[in-house]
Amino acid sequence: MLTPNVVSHTTVRRSNLATAPNPRTSARCSSCAMRHLCMPQGLATDDMPKLEALICSARSVRRGEALYRAGDPFDNLYAVRSGSLKTVMAHRDGREQVTGLRLAGDPLGLDGISTDTHSCTSIALEDSSVCIVPYAALKHMCRESGTMQDRLHRLMSEQLIRESSQMMVLGSLSADERVAAFLLDVSDRNGQRGYSHAEFNLRMTREDMGSYLGMTLETVSRTLSRFQKRGLIDAQGKLIRIIDLEGLRHL
């Protein structure tokens, strides 16, 4: 999926993370800056306290730390509160493939619903935090609230659509088109979160980008350099500035 928390804008206000490993704090949806992305629309006023009681806590995930690993028992869904994470699946021969990128407001953990175990690993690309949603309690609330049930179904549908879009990117686009589609997706998602469409920090390594886009590290680097020479972008390390948005769209 061309998604997610891949990016952290240079002006993003980040939560103060505690120094203890995996600290947990209370999480309040009503005060979260990303609630417009993950909260169900039309939620009844008296359902808000129930939802905040359901989301028992927020957890910090340090850069490089796994939120969960493939094969771990599935108990919770998560919503990215700040930062960014990637999802990774392992091939039978041990090679790893980056399969998803999660930004603030994006869900995590839906892969575990079908078998009660996670099929992929989720790793923080930077110091991040996630809201913890116990799945058993969420199912109970969905039975009581049609709005919550509809939101869960929409999240599942959105993930299917994003995965289908990613298959199209890998299967039918050239290297230039793949990188352009990736940058445009990050730009669009950044805008949805109230940040700049044109300037952002990519927290993924070039190698991760290549894995996600089905390209080699060298091809990713050459493509970004070519875009810079053509005046489409300005890339200074992880900082990306899109100069010609329409030019990227017409590649």
Side-chain angles (χ1 to χ4, degrees):
M1 295 186 295
L2 289 175
T3 84
N5 251 293
V6 181
V7 54
S8 176
H9 187 260
T10 53
T11 61
V12 174
R13 296 190 304 270
R14 294 176 57 182
S15 302
N16 292 325
L17 301 178
T19 56
N22 299 338
R24 298 193 180 205
T25 58
S26 61
R28 295 186 63 82
C29 299
S30 55
S31 60
C32 179
M34 294 296 123
R35 62 184 180 276
H36 66 289
L37 294 172
C38 54
M39 288 282 291
Q41 299 298 312
L43 187 68
T45 304
D46 57 353
D47 281 337
M48 179 62 76
K50 297 178 184 177
L51 182 59
E52 291 189 328
L54 171 67
I55 302 174
C56 55
S57 61
R59 171 188 162 184
S60 298
V61 193
R62 299 296 186 185
R63 178 184 175 187
E65 179 188 352
L67 174 62
Y68 54 81
R69 294 190 178 278
D72 285 352
F74 167 71
D75 297 305
N76 304 309
L77 294 176
Y78 305 90
V80 181
R81 194 173 182 88
S82 66
S84 56
L85 298 95
K86 66 180 178 180
T87 53
V88 178
M89 293 189 74
H91 295 276
R92 292 180 180 178
D93 60 6
R95 289 179 299 161
E96 292 186 337
Q97 173 84 38
V98 176
T99 58
L101 307 166
R102 301 291 185 270
L103 303 175
D106 286 339
L108 274 165
L110 292 168
D111 60 288
I113 292 177
S114 63
T115 62
D116 292 326
T117 58
H118 288 287
S119 61
C120 64
T121 298
S122 179
I123 300 173
L125 294 168
E126 58 186 307
D127 288 351
S128 305
S129 64
V130 297
C131 296
I132 302 170
V133 186
Y135 185 59
L138 177 63
K139 285 196 298 182
H140 179 75
M141 186 172 182
C142 285
R143 287 193 289 269
E144 295 182 343
S145 170
T147 303
M148 282 299 302
Q149 186 175 57
D150 181 61
R151 182 57 182 148
L152 181 59
H153 290 164
R154 286 178 180 273
L155 287 175
M156 293 177 177
S157 178
E158 288 167 4
Q159 181 152 320
L160 286 171
I161 292 169
R162 187 164 287 276
E163 289 176 351
S164 297
S165 297
Q166 180 66 3
M167 288 176 63
M168 182 185 72
V169 167
L170 295 177
S172 62
L173 300 186
S174 67
D176 281 10
E177 289 170 330
R178 293 183 196 187
V179 175
F182 172 77
L183 294 176
L184 289 169
D185 182 70
V186 172
S187 170
D188 182 60
R189 296 171 69 202
N190 222 29
Q192 291 173 7
R193 286 153 177 80
Y195 308 140
S196 171
H197 284 271
E199 187 173 302
F200 42 82
N201 280 318
L202 285 177
R203 295 301 181 183
M204 297 182 75
T205 65
R206 300 292 192 258
E207 186 175 10
D208 278 344
M209 286 177 59
S211 176
Y212 184 54
L213 297 173
M215 301 163 58
T216 64
L217 167 62
E218 292 75 15
T219 302
V220 170
S221 297
R222 285 197 302 267
T223 303
L224 290 172
S225 296
R226 189 160 55 248
F227 284 2
Q228 184 153 339
K229 289 177 181 177
R230 293 174 59 179
L232 298 173
I233 66 170
D234 179 35
Q236 302 295 330
K238 291 184 179 295
L239 179 63
I240 302 292
R241 184 165 64 92
I242 297 179
I243 299 172
D244 186 355
L245 193 63
E246 289 303 313
L248 282 180
R249 287 174 177 160
H250 286 92
L251 282 176

